[in-house]
Amino acid sequence: QVLQNVPCSQKQSVENDCVLVQGTSTVYLEEGVAVSDERDVTLDAIKQGMDNDEFDNVSDGIEDVRYVSLPLTNLETGTFGFMSDKSVEIEYAYELEYKSDSTDDLSTIQFDLENAINEGAIPILMGDSDATSSVIGVSSNPADQVLQSVECSQKSDGNDCVLVTGTMTVYLDESDSDSSLGEGKEEELLTALEESMSNGELNSSNDNIIDVRYVNFPLTDENGLFGSTSDNPLQVDYAYELEYNSNRNLSTIQSDLEEAINEKTIPVLMGSSSGDSGSMNNVVGVSSSPNDQVLQNVPCTQAPIEGNYCVLMKGTMTVYLDNDGDDASSTGGSDVKEAALDAIKDGMDNDEFDTANEDIVDVRYVTLPLTDPETGVFGSTSDTSVEIEYAYEMEYDANSSSSDLFIMQENLEEAINEKVIPTLMGGGDGYESNVVGLGVSPLDQVLHNVDCAQVPQDGNNCVLVKGTMTVYLQSNTSLPDSAKEETLSVIEEGMENDEFDSVSDVINDVRYVTLPLTDENGMFGSASDNAIKVEYAYELEYNSSSGDLSDIQSDLEKAIAEDSITTLMGGSESNVVGISASPPDLILEKVPCSQQADNSTNECVVTKGEMTVYLEDEASVGDEHQVAVEGIQTGISTGEYLDSNDSFQSIRNVPLPLTDENGLFGVETDNKIEVEYAYELEYAPSGDLQTILPDLELAINEESILALMASSNSSVVGLSSNPEDEDLELPCRPETPGNACRVIQGSMTLYLDEDATPGDENVLALETIKSGMDKDAFVSANDDIHSVRSVESLPTDGLIGVTSTNLVEVDYAYEFDYMNSNSTLLAQSHRELDEAVTKYVASEMFQDTESSVVGVSPYPDDYPLYNIPCTSQSDAEYCLLVKAKLTLYLEEGATMVNETQQAQESIMAGMNSNEFDSINDNIEDVRYVQVPLTNEDGRFGSTSSNYIEVDYAYEIEYDPAGNLTNIQADLEKAINEKTIPALMGNPESNVVGLSSFPSDQVLTVPCSSEEDKGNACVVVKGTMTAYLQDDSEVTD
């Protein structure tokens, strides 16, 4: 063969032509005779003849024949001829069986064999006698690759054997744009190579070679697998645009292309040029499965040539790693993935796959991720979308910074999005996807204050994450349930196979968590003593033939609770530790929906929903209620909860409160009941009752709606917070010092069906209100409310608070100026003053944190001293001195300290500050008078010449250490003080003064009863003097 395009090493004359020729002669041996040195002898003879110019005269045209030593291939470069920037690679495969006790290592054996193969290719590729070949060089590079972990199809005992993929590079004339390998040349070469291997011609290239057996492509089997599978698979994702002729079936093209891609990666991932363990020595198999997916509804970036089609493909191949080697999620796995992608990209960039099928026009590599890093969307958005939720635990390095965590989560969301793109947008087998885009938004939410189910390893942290992706659909279409289920399965599979662990260096493990997060009771997280109630309302239209309403509604309640998890626990500042769907939502049986059901099989109910949100024990309540309600209302309005039960037809928001601006819910009828109740309202001292009470009435009305209208047996068709609650201006003891506290008379009206007979509605309403107050259900009605406490009954006889058996009477006195002496007006003024003083003392005592006073009563009665002039000067026409008492009730068992003095000081302070001067129009001024009224001389009032002496006697038992004279003096004054109201507190009394004189006399008579051991006792004859008006007669 004349070797084209290769110049001779020399020419005797410039006028001559010269060609390099590769010759072949065949030597026939006797049958059965082994080949020995015949080849070398033959070559020596040929060389000698050429060296001696024996062949120069065989033709007149020959000037000189010069012997060229074989091999022609340059053993240093592996090349014969010239290299250029225009080349093609020819691939082949063979099994190489060689001696186990080889004197050469495998790399040397391979080197010799590759050069021999290259020599055989030279005349075929460059030996064109017509001088039409464009080939200018042939190279054994790149080096043939021994495929690790793959056994030969046959092997004799005592030998070793490897499967090898070979590649030779053929260099073309780059100055000729039309230069090519030539039609049929590659097939001719491979046929010749197969023949030479079959004939054993290459076995002599190295003395250690036993046999070289040709292996047909593809290496991949009918299932797309080369090598073996393992329990350590690694998925390699890639993408490309495929432009093809429109007249062929895409599935056939796809199958051929996937096989070609798989074949391309086999030597890269499993090959070693030296025969030693290479960088990918842990790869035991390569598979084209799963099938590449056509991503529908997404155009190619480069428009196809007219008449062609173009599709965007998401490809996936599976690389099986050694079970005992690096894990697929390790650095070793990452290296394998990178090598595979580099090979695929190289093949596509160099158009190596364009010949995989005759209808392929172009295969263009597309860099992953497909998701736009700026928008987080692949494909396009639309006005029709659905969200798919999932959850997972993410374990990561505890030393990670906040920026590491942000990037980690961002990468993970993108990886999950990439993973499901083929699932939701992949076509094939006649399936047409209606998905036009996928978005990572809304962002996945770390659920705070919740522990992972699996305890993280030392040095790691772990968080529970609620993930959401948005699927954009063609307008007016829906996503099949099967597509959603398959998507979740793909995400779960990816997490179970640790496919997402490598998206960040700080991630240690990503574990799938099955939804819902709420348990069978609708609870997620943990309960606490710090809970708030979240209320909402809705109309539920459902198919009444689909099952029990309570079961249907339970699904909705759990769906709402599940949705609220992300809303309330997904922020880093969240102090929510748990969410419960309890208590159950209540159907308002007596309340019609705002619109009729769509058809006869549907029914509609109005429902008051309630959810419990648990906060950290010491946390303050923030905007959790508002955030929860807004989230629920959004979910209802967007139809998010319709999928929670197949029987749901529609769900509509009902604004809260249910009560209207006039305090009414439902309808008014002439058949009504007024419910009265009382409560203590403790509130911030800066609070305004005019604002607080309407808010509180509304809350009480709302609570009562649920109890009274949620039963189909109820006759209540309407509730009103009217009449308005009334401040009784009675103080109560606050739980928190400094707060204001008042007793309130509450009222509400129940409207019944016109024909209904009142039953226990009143009792049920009172029980509901009391229960709500006991559970602090109304505290949130107004920010200034501290507590609302039910009162069994209103105070009677002027009592403020409650009574007890632990009591003390407090004496005090006052005088007041008044304008009208009318006895009725005077009695009213005196009564109102008595009540006002009681309220004032109660208010002051209740605010004292050290006081044990629980009640204050104006009893015993006060006594106006009609015959005694006021003690101070006054310009008023009338003035009255009053000797008064009130009773303090203390907690049972409490020790009396200085409550009497406190009460007296409180009264004095109030009177001195004119607190009581404006009680009514008849009172001008109220002044405190010190008690006792009896002076140091034992006298009260005035004297007269008309008097009587009153004798009495008593025994006095006393401490012998005391001074009897002083004891007697004090006792005489106390007796005098005691008689003042009895003798002078009557309008008809004629007594003007009292005196303890003459002094009481101790008698030398023994006491009638024995005194306690250690005490002294005397009998005393007492006398006091009562002074009467001068002309009056002595009566009783």
Side-chain angles (χ1 to χ4, degrees):
Q1 292 289 326
V2 174
L3 303 183
Q4 304 292 327
N5 305 321
V6 182
C8 293
S9 59
Q10 64 181 62
K11 273 201 311 183
Q12 291 186 350
S13 170
V14 294
E15 288 85 8
N16 294 341
D17 288 332
C18 183
V19 292
L20 178 63
V21 181
Q22 184 172 38
T24 304
S25 59
T26 302
V27 180
Y28 296 96
L29 307 181
E30 294 178 1
E31 296 292 341
V33 175
V35 177
S36 58
D37 59 352
E38 289 83 2
R39 178 179 283 103
D40 293 338
V41 171
T42 304
L43 290 176
D44 286 344
I46 294 172
K47 180 177 184 303
Q48 182 179 2
M50 291 182 180
D51 290 346
N52 295 331
D53 296 330
E54 295 180 21
F55 307 119
D56 292 354
N57 58 358
V58 299
S59 171
D60 294 338
I62 293 177
E63 291 284 338
D64 192 20
V65 181
R66 293 179 294 275
Y67 187 80
V68 177
S69 296
L70 296 178
L72 296 175
T73 303
N74 184 320
L75 298 184
E76 291 185 1
T77 65
T79 303
F80 169 71
F82 302 98
M83 292 187 291
S84 71
D85 290 335
K86 189 173 183 180
S87 64
V88 294
E89 289 185 349
I90 297 177
E91 295 178 340
Y92 49 93
Y94 55 90
E95 291 180 355
L96 169 61
E97 186 174 347
Y98 60 98
K99 299 175 183 177
S100 298
D101 56 353
S102 170
T103 55
D104 293 328
D105 60 24
L106 181 58
S107 61
T108 301
I109 298 173
Q110 264 190 274
F111 179 81
D112 292 344
L113 179 58
E114 286 178 45
N115 284 322
I117 292 171
N118 206 61
E119 288 292 302
I122 290 171
I124 296 173
L125 296 174
M126 302 180 70
D128 190 337
S129 57
D130 296 331
T132 59
S133 175
S134 299
V135 178
I136 62 173
V138 180
S139 174
S140 61
N141 292 318
D144 291 0
Q145 298 290 314
V146 175
L147 301 184
Q148 306 287 335
S149 307
V150 183
E151 295 182 355
C152 291
S153 60
Q154 65 183 64
K155 177 173 75 76
S156 300
D157 292 340
N159 296 337
D160 287 335
C161 186
V162 290
L163 176 62
V164 183
T165 57
T167 306
M168 67 170 57
T169 302
V170 181
Y171 296 100
L172 305 177
D173 184 1
E174 60 186 288
S175 64
D176 182 2
S177 60
D178 295 330
S179 62
S180 65
L181 181 61
E183 186 176 356
K185 278 295 180 184
E186 180 173 348
E187 291 79 5
E188 181 184 349
L189 172 64
L190 293 176
T191 299
L193 181 58
E194 181 178 5
E195 184 177 339
S196 63
M197 289 182 180
S198 299
N199 294 334
E201 295 176 20
L202 298 173
N203 295 351
S204 60
S205 58
N206 186 287
D207 293 339
N208 294 287
I209 293 177
I210 301 298
D211 194 17
V212 182
R213 295 182 290 273
Y214 190 81
V215 175
N216 286 306
F217 281 118
L219 299 177
T220 305
D221 66 18
E222 65 275 10
N223 298 315
L225 174 68
F226 173 74
S228 59
T229 61
S230 72
D231 294 329
N232 192 11
L234 170 70
Q235 280 201 347
V236 178
D237 294 323
Y238 54 95
Y240 56 94
E241 292 180 354
L242 170 62
E243 186 173 344
Y244 62 99
N245 292 325
S246 59
N247 63 334
R248 289 298 298 272
N249 187 289
L250 178 59
S251 61
T252 303
I253 297 173
Q254 215 175 312
S255 176
D256 292 343
L257 179 57
E258 287 180 45
E259 181 183 88
I261 292 172
N262 209 55
E263 293 287 306
K264 172 74 177 179
T265 61
I266 289 172
V268 175
L269 299 178
M270 301 180 69
S272 171
S273 59
S274 65
D276 299 327
S277 57
S279 59
M280 305 301 158
N281 65 313
N282 61 335
V283 177
V284 299
V286 181
S287 171
S288 60
S289 294
N291 293 334
D292 294 359
Q293 295 289 320
V294 177
L295 301 185
Q296 301 197 20
N297 307 316
V298 182
C300 291
T301 55
Q302 182 176 320
I305 298 172
E306 186 176 353
N308 292 343
Y309 285 158
C310 185
V311 289
L312 176 62
M313 305 286 296
K314 181 73 179 292
T316 304
M317 66 185 308
T318 304
V319 180
Y320 293 99
L321 307 183
D322 187 348
N323 287 331
D324 299 325
D326 291 335
D327 186 80
S329 62
S330 67
T331 302
S334 299
D335 292 342
V336 170
K337 182 179 290 187
E338 183 178 355
L341 291 176
D342 286 344
I344 294 170
K345 182 178 187 303
D346 178 71
M348 292 181 180
D349 290 348
N350 292 324
D351 297 329
E352 294 179 30
F353 303 128
D354 294 358
T355 57
N357 184 287
E358 62 184 358
D359 288 301
I360 292 177
V361 175
D362 195 16
V363 183
R364 297 182 288 272
Y365 188 81
V366 175
T367 303
L368 295 179
L370 297 175
T371 304
D372 188 318
E374 293 185 2
T375 64
V377 175
F378 168 69
S380 58
T381 60
S382 70
D383 56 1
T384 303
S385 64
V386 64
E387 290 182 353
I388 296 179
E389 294 183 336
Y390 51 93
Y392 54 92
E393 291 180 355
M394 181 169 62
E395 188 171 333
Y396 61 94
D397 188 338
N399 295 319
S400 305
S401 66
S402 56
S403 60
D404 287 338
L405 292 178
F406 178 79
I407 294 172
M408 168 181 64
Q409 216 173 327
E410 196 174 54
N411 291 345
L412 181 56
E413 290 179 44
E414 184 182 85
I416 292 172
N417 208 57
E418 290 288 305
K419 177 73 177 175
V420 301
I421 287 173
T423 305
L424 289 170
M425 302 182 71
D429 296 329
Y431 172 71
E432 293 293 331
S433 172
N434 62 341
V435 178
V436 299
L438 283 176
V440 299
S441 294
L443 298 178
D444 292 0
Q445 294 291 321
V446 174
L447 304 182
H448 295 270
N449 308 318
V450 182
D451 293 331
C452 289
Q454 183 174 320
V455 178
Q457 298 177 357
D458 291 341
N460 290 344
N461 286 339
C462 185
V463 291
L464 177 61
V465 183
K466 185 83 175 288
T468 308
M469 63 171 54
T470 301
V471 182
Y472 296 98
L473 308 174
Q474 293 170 342
S475 295
N476 302 317
T477 64
S478 60
L479 185 69
D481 290 340
S482 58
K484 182 177 180 180
E485 292 168 3
E486 186 178 356
T487 300
L488 293 175
S489 296
V490 167
I491 295 173
E492 181 177 9
E493 180 185 4
M495 292 181 178
E496 288 180 349
N497 293 334
D498 298 327
E499 293 179 30
F500 305 121
D501 295 356
S502 60
V503 300
S504 170
D505 292 338
V506 298
I507 289 181
N508 290 286
D509 195 18
V510 182
R511 298 182 289 271
Y512 187 80
V513 176
T514 303
L515 293 179
L517 296 177
T518 51
D519 62 21
E520 65 276 9
N521 299 315
M523 176 72 189
F524 172 73
S526 57
S528 71
D529 293 331
N530 189 9
I532 60 174
K533 179 174 67 174
V534 176
E535 295 178 310
Y536 51 95
Y538 56 90
E539 293 181 356
L540 171 62
E541 186 174 335
Y542 65 99
N543 188 322
S544 57
S545 63
S546 299
D548 183 71
L549 178 57
S550 60
D551 294 336
I552 293 171
Q553 201 161 340
S554 176
D555 290 341
L556 178 57
E557 292 174 39
K558 291 176 183 177
I560 290 173
E562 182 78 15
D563 184 56
S564 300
I565 291 172
T566 307
T567 306
L568 295 173
M569 301 179 73
S572 59
E573 304 300 320
S574 171
N575 55 11
V576 177
V577 299
I579 294 173
S580 173
S582 295
D585 294 357
L586 287 174
I587 298 171
L588 305 181
E589 299 274 6
K590 304 293 290 186
V591 182
C593 287
S594 59
Q595 61 186 64
Q596 294 293 322
D598 287 342
N599 60 58
S600 58
T601 62
N602 289 351
E603 291 186 9
C604 184
V605 290
V606 177
T607 304
K608 181 77 176 293
E610 189 172 326
M611 178 174 72
T612 304
V613 177
Y614 297 98
L615 310 180
E616 294 172 327
D617 285 332
E618 304 301 324
S620 300
V621 177
D623 59 353
E624 291 84 4
H625 185 279
Q626 179 182 347
V627 170
V629 170
E630 289 176 354
I632 294 168
Q633 290 177 338
T634 299
I636 291 174
S637 61
T638 57
E640 187 175 331
Y641 307 131
L642 288 173
D643 292 338
S644 57
N645 191 289
D646 292 338
S647 65
F648 292 164
Q649 303 300 311
S650 68
I651 308 173
R652 298 180 289 272
N653 275 306
V654 174
L656 289 180
L658 298 174
T659 306
D660 66 19
E661 65 275 9
N662 298 314
L664 175 68
F665 175 72
V667 295
E668 293 177 300
T669 66
D670 293 330
N671 190 7
K672 59 186 177 181
I673 302 171
E674 190 170 309
V675 179
E676 292 189 341
Y677 50 95
Y679 55 92
E680 292 180 352
L681 171 62
E682 183 175 339
Y683 58 98
S686 59
D688 179 13
L689 276 180
Q690 301 301 314
T691 302
I692 296 173
L693 283 179
D695 291 344
L696 181 55
E697 290 180 56
L698 177 62
I700 292 173
N701 209 57
E702 289 287 300
E703 184 81 4
S704 302
I705 290 171
L706 304 183
L708 296 168
M709 301 183 71
S711 169
S712 58
N713 297 324
S714 171
S715 58
V716 178
V717 295
L719 281 91
S720 172
S721 59
N722 292 316
E724 294 180 356
D725 290 4
E726 178 187 357
D727 175 16
L728 299 180
E729 299 184 356
L730 297 177
C732 51
R733 186 177 184 85
E735 295 172 344
T736 302
N739 280 345
C741 190
R742 304 296 276 271
V743 178
I744 308 295
Q745 170 75 63
S747 299
M748 70 185 310
T749 302
L750 309 181
Y751 296 100
L752 311 181
D753 284 322
E754 292 289 2
D755 300 330
T757 300
D760 59 356
E761 292 84 4
N762 187 79
V763 174
L764 181 56
L766 291 176
E767 289 176 349
T768 301
I769 295 168
K770 183 180 184 306
S771 174
M773 291 178 178
D774 291 345
K775 294 185 300 184
D776 291 331
F778 308 127
V779 172
S780 59
N782 186 286
D783 291 339
D784 288 322
I785 294 178
H786 177 82
S787 69
V788 184
R789 300 183 290 272
S790 177
V791 174
E792 292 296 334
S793 60
L794 288 173
T796 57
D797 299 329
L799 173 68
I800 308 297
V802 295
T803 63
S804 73
T805 59
N806 188 10
L807 55 90
V808 60
E809 291 184 358
V810 178
D811 290 312
Y812 65 99
Y814 61 91
E815 57 188 28
F816 69 96
D817 299 336
Y818 57 97
M819 301 170 61
N820 193 321
S821 62
N822 178 275
S823 60
T824 301
L825 287 176
L826 182 59
Q828 179 183 343
S829 297
H830 173 230
R831 184 180 67 256
E832 291 178 357
L833 263 174
D834 199 19
E835 293 173 353
V837 170
T838 302
K839 291 179 183 178
Y840 187 81
V841 171
S843 179
E844 294 293 311
M845 299 293 276
F846 289 165
Q847 289 290 348
D848 185 352
T849 57
E850 297 181 359
S851 171
S852 58
V853 174
V854 295
V856 182
S857 170
Y859 287 90
D861 290 332
D862 295 353
Y863 291 93
L865 306 180
Y866 293 100
N867 296 327
I868 306 300
C870 289
T871 59
S872 60
Q873 297 296 323
S874 173
D875 296 334
E877 184 175 356
Y878 304 106
C879 183
L880 182 63
L881 177 63
V882 179
K883 180 74 162 55
K885 278 182 182 290
L886 55 77
T887 301
L888 302 181
Y889 295 98
L890 281 63
E891 294 173 351
E892 297 290 355
T895 302
M896 195 174 304
V897 186
N898 60 347
E899 285 80 6
T900 298
Q901 181 181 345
Q902 279 183 289
Q904 290 171 337
E905 290 175 352
S906 175
I907 297 168
M908 180 172 66
M911 291 181 177
N912 289 344
S913 60
N914 302 320
E915 286 285 339
F916 310 113
D917 293 354
S918 57
I919 292 299
N920 65 38
D921 294 339
N922 195 36
I923 296 174
E924 289 188 312
D925 188 24
V926 183
R927 297 175 295 278
Y928 187 78
V929 175
Q930 292 287 351
V931 291
L933 296 177
T934 303
N935 64 21
E936 293 297 323
D937 297 329
R939 182 182 297 115
F940 171 68
S942 57
T943 60
S944 71
S945 57
N946 185 11
Y947 62 88
I948 60 171
E949 288 185 355
V950 178
D951 294 325
Y952 51 94
Y954 56 93
E955 293 175 354
I956 175 170
E957 185 177 340
Y958 63 97
D959 186 342
N963 184 295
L964 183 56
T965 303
N966 293 339
I967 292 172
Q968 264 189 272
D970 291 340
L971 182 56
E972 288 178 41
K973 291 176 184 176
I975 291 172
N976 204 64
E977 190 75 15
K978 177 69 175 177
T979 59
I980 290 173
L983 292 172
M984 305 177 69
N986 188 320
E988 307 300 324
S989 172
N990 56 3
V991 179
V992 296
L994 288 173
S995 174
S996 60
F997 288 94
S999 299
D1000 294 357
Q1001 298 295 316
V1002 176
L1003 306 179
T1004 57
V1005 178
C1007 289
S1008 61
S1009 61
E1010 291 188 13
E1011 63 273 12
D1012 289 345
K1013 187 174 181 181
N1015 287 345
C1017 185
V1018 293
V1019 179
V1020 181
K1021 175 72 181 297
T1023 306
M1024 69 183 303
T1025 305
Y1027 298 96
L1028 312 178
Q1029 293 170 347
D1030 286 336
D1031 299 329
S1032 63
E1033 295 180 359
V1034 177
T1035 60
D1036 57 357

